[in-house]
Amino acid sequence: MKKFSKFLLSLIVVTGLWMPIGAQAYTVEQDPIQFSYHPGYATNEIIVLHEAGKPSNVGADSLDREVSFMKRNWQNAYVSYFVGSGGRVKQLAPNGYYQYGAGATGNSKAYAQIELARTNNAETFKKDYAAYVNLTRDLAKQAGFTFDLDDGTPYGIKTHEWITNNWWGGHTDPYGYLAQWGVSKARLTQDLMVGLPEDGNETIVKPNKPNTTKYKIGQHVRFATIYNAPDDPNEKHINADQKWTQVGTITQKLDGRKNLYKIENGGKLLGYVNDGDIVEIWNPSHPTAPSKPQDSNLVSMVGTFTTNQSLPVSPDTAVESAALAWYDPFESMVTSWPMVMHG
């Protein structure tokens, strides 16, 4: 059964709608993107639910920070609504605009897409979640949808996970973040059916216990996978063999993201890893099997050569040895004596 009104669809496509300010218990703050060109219109068949996915942005100003970033980079990704920072709601674009948040098929069908900013405060989350649920319900009423979530039809309220499972992509939000606060898919489904008080007093929060940190600053580790930047999404999780070495030293434990470590070698940044990325504690005096399928991860070379990675030159093969010099990617190095290199 189609879950929207054809008359309303025609009206939306022609005009585009801004949410009336003050029409709900929450207030919709108008913070429009300054479009350099018109993105076009969607067919208004779904509403897509997201969460921001930035564990490092959980402070009191997380909503404003997320919106500011999105407005500067809207040509890469943008949605019509952002919720956060204690139940605040910001509208960035009119309902019915073609948005960039859920792949080509999802974007073409989305009447609205809603992002949820993160927080590490339980009371803030309660209000955020209540506004997130109630905004979704109000938009569903406008578009003529039912309150069913992720059902078997291509219409109505959908999560980004549903988009991934049925059309395209690799995202599973917002379920992972909601689960951190004890909100299951079943709970979200029920809350969308009935709504919630805006003060969050009926939002039941049972945050998961954070994982115990396994590793310490100063430890040498070997890793199998790594992020280039601390806020990289899962799809930018790369294999360690893309780096010039797969061993490094933990130099920092980052706040705001569970068990994320900064990894350096010889003072050069390699990237950032979680507990699950680390294979073992690395003891240079007791080498283990290399991460690549070869007899040894040390290669002796004489002559002229280049590499597509930044290359440190150290006095010995120990991981903690300071680099004497660095060669840039594709810079030629000439040597007339054998040099031992990590392969």
Side-chain angles (χ1 to χ4, degrees), residues 227-270:
Y227 295 97
N228 284 321
D231 290 326
D232 278 351
N234 286 336
E235 56 263 32
K236 291 190 177 180
H237 212 188
I238 64 173
N239 290 328
D241 60 9
Q242 296 185 40
K243 297 292 184 178
W244 60 268
T245 181
Q246 293 81 52
V247 294
T249 303
I250 297 174
T251 59
Q252 184 182 357
K253 170 70 171 69
L254 275 66
D255 294 328
R257 186 167 182 175
K258 295 178 182 177
N259 298 341
L260 188 67
Y261 310 99
K262 183 178 182 180
I263 304 295
E264 298 182 346
N265 188 310
K268 188 73 171 181
L269 175 66
L270 291 172

Side-chain angles (χ1 to χ4, degrees), residues 7 39 45 82 92 127 161 163 255 288 294 302 319 329 333:
F7 173 76
E45 300 171 55
F82 231 118
L92 283 68
K127 295 176 182 178
E161 180 180 80
I163 301 293
D255 294 328
T288 58
Q294 53 193 35
V302 177
V319 67
M333 175 185 286

Side-chain angles (χ1 to χ4, degrees), residues 85-237:
S85 295
R88 293 170 57 201
V89 176
K90 284 198 170 191
Q91 185 172 10
L92 283 68
N95 303 333
Y97 266 37
Y98 187 104
Q99 297 149 61
Y100 308 149
T105 302
N107 293 338
S108 69
K109 296 175 180 289
Y111 172 61
Q113 298 191 46
I114 309 170
E115 285 277 6
L116 178 62
R118 291 196 175 194
T119 181
N120 56 7
N121 181 278
E123 294 305 312
T124 298
F125 175 78
K126 290 179 180 181
K127 295 176 182 178
D128 289 349
Y129 178 69
Y132 186 64
V133 166
N134 294 337
L135 172 64
T136 303
R137 284 171 50 83
D138 290 331
L139 289 168
K141 291 175 187 176
Q142 284 187 14
F145 302 157
T146 71
F147 299 134
D148 296 298
L149 175 67
D150 286 354
D151 63 10
T153 74
Y155 307 104
I157 303 171
K158 307 298 181 188
T159 61
H160 204 169
E161 180 180 80
W162 188 96
I163 301 293
T164 293
N165 292 337
N166 291 272
W167 290 333
W168 177 88
H171 290 254
T172 59
D173 55 307
Y175 291 127
Y177 172 62
L178 295 181
Q180 293 179 20
W181 293 102
V183 176
S184 64
K185 178 179 179 179
R187 179 61 191 273
L188 176 59
T189 300
Q190 175 62 25
D191 290 338
L192 285 170
M193 285 293 178
V194 299
L196 290 169
E198 295 295 331
D199 61 6
N201 63 25
E202 290 186 14
T203 303
I204 300 173
V205 172
K206 297 178 181 178
N208 294 337
K209 185 178 180 181
N211 295 329
T212 301
T213 302
K214 295 181 181 180
Y215 301 98
K216 300 177 182 179
I217 293 175
Q219 287 182 317
H220 310 310
V221 297
R222 183 165 68 91
F223 53 90
T225 46
I226 193 168
Y227 295 97
N228 284 321
D231 290 326
D232 278 351
N234 286 336
E235 56 263 32
K236 291 190 177 180
H237 212 188

